[in-house]
Amino acid sequence: MITSARMAAVDRNAAALGVPQKQLMESSGNAVARTVREVASPGDGVAIVAGRGNNGGDAFVATRFLDGFDLTITLLGRPESISTAIARENWEALQTAEYDTEICQDSAALDLGSPDLVVDAVLGTGVSGEPREPERSAIEAINATEATVVAVDVPSGLDADTGEAAGVAVEADHVVTFHDLKPGLADHEAVTVAEIGIPTAAETFVGPGDLGVLTRDPLAHKGDFGRVFVIGGGPYTGAPALAAQAALRAGADLAFVASPESVADRIQGYSEDLIVEPVPGDRLTPQPVPTLLDRASAMDVVIIGPGLGSDERTAAAVHEFLAGFDGRAIVDADAIEVVPEVETAATLVCTPHQGELREMGGPSADAWRERAAAVEDYAASLGHTLLVKGAYDVVSDGAETRVNRTGNPGMTVGGTGDVLAGITGALLARLDPLQAAAIAAYANGRAGDEIVDEVGYGLLASDLLPELPPVLWRDR
């Protein structure tokens, strides 16, 4: 099954792969027409009721495959208000070909007559809530007929994800839905799932469509988009600073860094935007863990690992922290090796490269398809989400797996993984773990690709930071 939001992302990803929405609409309309031909008899009266979105566009296409029927096509609203260019093009094609089309601007005047079959293309999967006019009256008019009703993608007024209706909904006899079954149709008796040419890659590979879940409420306040708490530093100072700055660039409101007091000033020196909180010593040890747990309880996400090093006392501190933490956390770098041996109530996203994955006891495979399957199995047994870095990043929560192809060989430079951890942390404050990790991998790689396209190899991890906002917020 596929949710309406995920379907929208897959459509956009398909376009990015070179399969335009216009082509998908042609296939969708053809699929609707096939069902109409199976249900109706030649010469039957067929009334097509179309809204102004792509659902209506599918019906306009279907019209061209239904010659031989007594057709009427009613558009709800003015043609200039059709919301997408491809739907408008298909409406205009019907005018040029002189099909019997009608425009209904007064829902009270809608008269479908006595058709043998009605095609419901009023509202699509992207619409929720109680239908407004003229859609509401159109739905009532469809239900008032004695005709067989074929719904396009989902019966109008029915929530594609829940199967519930906030108000009135079309009582469809047949539903033609596209690509995959929608959750809200699971109990419907007559559903045809039509393949429309969306490649598997549009679901497997992370793409620009996935960014559609990123929004910013214009009435938001400080903190609404996340407080990220980086626990790192000691032998290294740049890593926690990069992670914290990347979190801010990826949309977090505040970034805190807890680091050993011996290096706190140096980390603060990287940016005045960071809030650095020293802990005793020159490395992380178990002694300040209770304080860190208390501090972490006020945060949305913790990133633990950047720059911590591999000291045994540090590993013990990470173990104690994770065992006592029940929030959301990114586990990176040397902290990763602790994860398989710790029992935790926390929601973890682990970001190993392939060598670190092997050190965790995880699988190794050269071919990305084999690695993806093995990582999914390991994530399921581990009980946490994995973002395994490589030429093809593999992201899995054990139930679902995504693959990211952005990035380039210039990103083998140190620090790019710390940036990735920071992006993932910012996104995990607002999204589910799989979404956060998949989008973070895509954004990190795209930022690197933008730099290499402009100046060539030799990039620095810090070069990625200014590229993140346009990648995340403009690449739609």
Side-chain angles (χ1 to χ4, degrees), residues 28-359:
S28 299
N30 198 347
V32 171
R34 283 199 303 272
T35 295
V36 171
R37 289 195 300 269
E38 291 169 1
V39 174
S41 299
D44 276 356
V46 175
I48 296 175
V49 186
R52 290 158 290 170
N54 281 341
N55 200 244
D58 296 333
F60 303 151
V61 171
T63 301
R64 294 188 279 104
F65 291 95
L66 291 174
D67 289 341
F69 294 93
D70 182 12
L71 288 172
T72 60
I73 308 98
T74 301
L75 171 66
L76 300 175
R78 296 175 290 109
E80 55 267 31
S81 67
I82 294 174
S83 61
T84 69
I86 53 171
R88 195 175 305 116
E89 287 176 12
N90 280 296
W91 169 259
E92 291 168 355
L94 298 182
Q95 313 315 301
T96 304
E98 298 191 5
Y99 281 87
D100 182 11
T101 61
E102 299 178 0
I103 298 169
C104 177
Q105 297 188 61
D106 180 3
S107 58
L110 179 62
D111 182 8
L112 298 180
S114 301
D116 299 291
L117 184 144
V118 175
V119 175
D120 160 33
V122 176
L123 298 171
T125 58
V127 180
S128 60
E130 187 171 357
R132 295 178 291 182
E133 295 294 353
E135 289 80 13
R136 181 182 178 85
S137 291
I139 291 169
E140 291 173 341
I142 291 171
N143 288 341
T145 71
E146 296 182 0
T148 299
V149 177
V150 175
V152 178
D153 213 5
V154 65
S156 295
L158 193 76
D159 189 298
D161 296 330
T162 68
E164 298 177 354
V168 65
V170 166
E171 298 165 3
D173 299 291
H174 301 269
V175 180
V176 183
T177 197
F178 309 123
H179 182 62
D180 201 352
L181 186 67
K182 312 309 183 290
L185 298 175
D187 295 328
H188 202 285
E189 292 183 358
V191 179
T192 298
V193 178
E195 292 291 344
I196 58 173
I198 293 176
T200 302
E203 285 198 77
T204 302
F205 295 126
V206 192
D210 294 270
L211 302 181
V213 298
L214 300 176
T215 58
R216 303 283 289 196
D217 185 342
L219 300 179
H221 300 281
K222 184 187 294 185
D224 287 353
F225 298 104
R227 294 174 169 85
V228 175
F229 187 41
V230 180
I231 301 174
Y236 309 102
T237 59
L242 284 169
Q245 290 177 92
L248 292 173
R249 292 288 191 174
D253 287 336
L254 295 165
F256 301 80
V257 181
S259 64
E261 59 189 359
S262 61
V263 296
D265 287 346
R266 272 183 279 169
I267 293 172
Q268 182 68 79
Y270 286 108
S271 174
E272 63 275 19
D273 297 301
L274 308 181
I275 304 169
V276 179
E277 302 178 353
V279 297
D282 59 1
R283 285 180 181 269
L284 180 64
T285 67
Q287 186 256 325
V289 167
T291 300
L292 293 175
L293 284 168
D294 182 65
R295 194 75 181 95
S297 67
M299 304 294 173
D300 296 291
V301 174
V302 169
I303 302 173
I304 186 166
L308 284 179
S310 56
D311 188 270
E312 289 184 3
R313 295 170 299 165
T314 300
V318 172
H319 189 290
E320 185 176 332
F321 180 88
L322 294 178
F325 186 56
D326 61 1
R328 293 183 161 212
I330 311 300
V331 186
D332 187 44
D334 290 307
I336 288 172
E337 65 183 41
V338 172
V339 172
E341 61 192 46
V342 65
E343 291 187 13
T344 178
T347 298
L348 303 184
V349 176
C350 304
T351 58
H353 54 61
Q354 293 179 67
E356 290 168 333
L357 183 66
R358 285 192 296 270
E359 291 173 5

